[in-house]
Amino acid sequence: METFGHVRMVIGFILSLSLAHLLKGTAKFIQHPGREKPYWIHLSWVGYIFILLVHFWWWEIPLHAIKRWTFPEYIFVVLFITTFFLLCALLYPDDVKEYDGYKGYFFSRRKWFFGVLAFSFVADVVDTMLKGTLYLHHFGWEYPARNIAHVVLCLMAIRISNQTFHGALVMIFLLYEMSYILRLYLSAG
């Protein structure tokens, strides 16, 4: 069996579960509009993670160039994609009854959410390095600057509980990610 085919299947399974978790959590607002009130910052992070998941799936295509997979590489990729599932689970817990809705829940779990998100940007660099030095360097200065800035902003978000800061932060992340995707893939033809 082709090794990358196996790796691709595992990535697909975990990513599919992540997307399903986000979609199911969001659908609850439509199914039961009176139960929990949506909170715009929380929903904006849901939208950001959705975009990140779709981008991740495309970002992983160059893994096919790895001719010989080792178990450490395989387990790293599995753990990396698992961080995205964890982010989805942190955004949509089984219930939020012990919190003051999604606003209270989000701010009470922001340290976990932003800690895992920061880790995902560090892991992203390792993942990109797995694809080869040439692949890593073709992104230029923006890729490392992007990841460093994202990690720093996540670490700040762990410490800051101000709603204005978090609202601005999620908008910056959303706008930047959409810009990054458009510049990476649409400008290339």
Side-chain angles (χ1 to χ4, degrees):
M1 181 169 112
E2 178 196 38
T3 307
F4 178 65
H6 178 71
V7 172
R8 186 178 61 220
M9 282 181 13
V10 172
I11 290 171
F13 291 150
I14 298 170
L15 205 58
S16 295
L17 289 171
S18 302
L19 286 168
H21 195 80
L22 279 187
L23 294 171
K24 184 179 178 190
T26 304
K28 286 181 186 178
F29 293 124
I30 299 166
Q31 294 168 337
H32 308 287
R35 276 196 197 154
E36 299 297 335
K37 292 168 79 174
Y39 177 54
W40 78 272
I41 291 176
H42 168 263
L43 277 180
S44 298
W45 282 113
V46 168
Y48 173 75
I49 296 299
F50 180 83
I51 292 168
L52 211 58
L53 287 168
V54 173
H55 182 203
F56 176 85
W57 209 319
W58 193 258
W59 185 261
E60 292 306 283
I61 289 173
L63 287 176
H64 79 281
I66 298 174
K67 298 298 179 207
R68 185 181 173 281
W69 279 86
T70 63
F71 188 76
E73 291 166 340
Y74 166 71
I75 198 68
F76 170 78
V77 171
V78 169
L79 291 174
F80 181 28
I81 187 61
T82 302
T83 62
F84 290 107
F85 182 81
L86 183 55
L87 286 167
C88 295
L90 285 167
L91 284 170
Y92 282 120
D94 292 335
D95 68 70
V96 292
K97 290 177 187 165
E98 60 191 85
Y99 304 95
D100 182 27
Y102 277 95
K103 180 180 178 179
Y105 171 77
F106 176 77
F107 282 103
S108 75
R109 292 294 171 255
R110 76 178 189 282
K111 293 176 182 177
W112 277 99
F113 178 76
F114 289 108
V116 173
L117 188 58
F119 174 78
S120 78
F121 288 110
V122 173
D124 185 64
V125 173
V126 176
D127 175 75
T128 303
M129 289 169 47
L130 282 176
K131 297 166 189 161
T133 310
L134 214 57
Y135 182 77
L136 174 66
H137 291 300
H138 99 272
F139 292 109
W141 66 268
E142 185 178 6
Y143 178 73
R146 166 194 185 261
N147 285 30
I148 290 168
H150 279 70
V151 168
V152 168
L153 288 169
C154 285
L155 295 176
M156 289 173 62
I158 287 171
R159 299 187 59 85
I160 298 171
S161 61
N162 180 282
Q163 290 181 57
T164 304
F165 171 83
H166 281 275
L169 183 66
V170 71
M171 289 299 118
I172 290 167
F173 271 54
L174 272 166
L175 292 172
Y176 178 80
E177 190 64 23
M178 289 186 287
S179 163
Y180 192 63
I181 290 168
L182 290 172
R183 288 181 290 112
L184 274 178
Y185 303 115
L186 295 182
S187 65

